[in-house]
Amino acid sequence: MTTRKIRVGVQLQQQHAHDYRAIREAVSRAEDTGVDIIFNWDHFYPLHGDPDGTHFGDGWTLLAAWAEQTSHVELGVLVTCLGYRNPDLLADIARTVDHISGGRVTLGVGAGWFQKDYDEYGYEFGAPGSRLGLFSENLERVKARLARLNPPPRHDMPILIGGSGERKTLREVAKHADIWHSFLPLPEFLRKNALLEEHGAAVGRDTAQIERSMNWPGSGSTVIEAVAPSEAPGVADDFLKAGVTLFTVGASGPDYDFATLREAIRWRDANS
């Protein structure tokens, strides 16, 4: 059993909400459940269901509102695409939201993958290699700007990196991340976790410092979508033994059903 605190997050996906009030209510309910962190996502269109359904796109605008609305839960974007934001401005935005929240922001970043977001909003999609190259360059700029801002963030904002590319993404995780979020079945997670440790050795960093993060089994992830709700705690047990300590439940509009979230929180409390 890990000695790191087990945490449960919820990703309130902005898709298919009838209006903002539904999202605001979901944020309040999520904090009341005792969830550790509330995420949204950085997409401009729904990923599931009607591709032209209702959607509130900019995650950081929402996060600023949630920072005022909430009092103690941590907040983040899972994850911010560094391919369509000026990295210096993003650092300033994250710093500002961190102050609004009183120091509760996790800075989640990734290279981007959903081509419609790029095409519809006029960003260059490019190839995987070019997006990863831009990600590496922009992450360095984000960190450099955070170190120069006056005032600085309220706290040492954790950097969460989403992705599991073996040669480039995991190297960036080893260099920069406080949290690594992946979407992998257990055998692949174990293999890539070992690769992460190799990257850590290469860059001179102890990867035990990095929290491992995963979607709650069967909850909006590519990890064995066929997992029955009754089986999810057992699968989570296996990931916990493998070192994962942050599990995030996906919840989508219009209803933001929290049945799975409550199950995950019960599992967290039973294992804490």
Side-chain angles (χ1 to χ4, degrees):
M1 185 72 68
T2 180
T3 57
R4 189 186 290 272
K5 179 183 176 182
I6 303 169
R7 303 196 294 159
V8 167
V10 62
Q11 185 187 51
L12 299 180
Q13 301 156 358
Q14 301 101 282
Q15 60 185 2
H16 308 308
H18 294 315
D19 55 35
Y20 178 69
R21 289 176 297 177
I23 298 176
R24 191 180 195 282
E25 180 185 81
V27 171
S28 293
R29 289 195 290 121
E31 187 171 40
D32 288 345
T33 66
V35 72
D36 295 288
I37 184 166
I38 303 175
F39 294 107
N40 56 38
W41 67 20
D42 196 26
H43 295 289
F44 306 134
Y45 294 90
L47 297 186
H48 314 297
D50 180 2
D52 297 314
T54 57
H55 195 276
F56 292 87
D58 184 59
W60 282 97
T61 302
L62 292 174
L63 218 63
W66 298 358
E68 282 283 3
Q69 175 186 347
T70 58
S71 62
H72 57 272
V73 71
E74 295 180 39
L75 302 167
V77 177
L78 188 64
V79 289
T80 312
C81 176
L82 287 185
Y84 44 70
R85 277 184 178 76
N86 177 288
D88 293 270
L89 179 57
L90 174 62
D92 202 332
I93 291 169
R95 178 276 307 262
T96 301
V97 178
D98 193 51
H99 275 263
I100 295 169
S101 72
R104 294 183 283 125
V105 168
T106 291
L107 178 54
V109 292
W113 62 273
F114 189 45
Q115 186 168 352
K116 183 177 181 179
D117 287 333
Y118 289 78
D119 292 346
E120 292 285 347
Y121 277 61
Y123 299 104
E124 182 179 353
F125 186 59
S130 64
R131 291 197 299 278
L132 286 167
L134 186 63
F135 172 77
S136 177
E137 174 187 334
N138 284 351
L139 181 54
E140 294 282 359
R141 286 179 58 185
V142 166
K143 293 184 69 176
R145 179 61 60 182
L146 286 172
R148 294 167 58 191
L149 289 170
N150 184 17
R154 279 289 300 271
H155 77 313
D156 187 10
M157 276 193 298
I159 293 176
L160 179 154
I161 295 179
S164 56
E166 297 183 7
R167 292 187 299 110
K168 296 182 178 180
T169 302
L170 289 181
R171 185 175 179 85
E172 295 302 311
V173 172
K175 289 168 62 178
H176 300 294
D178 300 290
I179 307 168
W180 170 41
H181 186 85
S182 62
F183 303 84
L184 298 167
L186 184 59
E188 273 296 281
F189 171 78
L190 292 170
R191 187 177 71 82
K192 296 202 176 187
N193 193 49
L195 289 174
L196 176 59
E197 293 176 0
E198 292 178 11
H199 281 296
V203 301
R205 187 169 181 220
D206 178 6
T207 59
Q209 301 170 357
I210 303 170
E211 183 177 17
R212 271 60 166 182
S213 172
M214 185 74 63
N215 277 37
W216 181 253
S219 175
S221 75
T222 55
V223 182
I224 323 174
E225 277 291 350
V227 168
S230 61
E231 298 173 348
V235 178
D237 286 340
D238 293 336
F239 276 105
L240 180 63
K241 292 173 184 175
V244 177
T245 54
L246 173 56
F247 295 85
T248 296
V249 176
S252 179
D255 299 324
Y256 294 103
D257 184 345
F258 285 172
T260 300
L261 177 60
R262 288 190 290 270
E263 176 189 50
I265 289 173
R266 287 193 295 269
W267 173 87
R268 177 201 65 189
D269 294 346
N271 285 277
S272 297

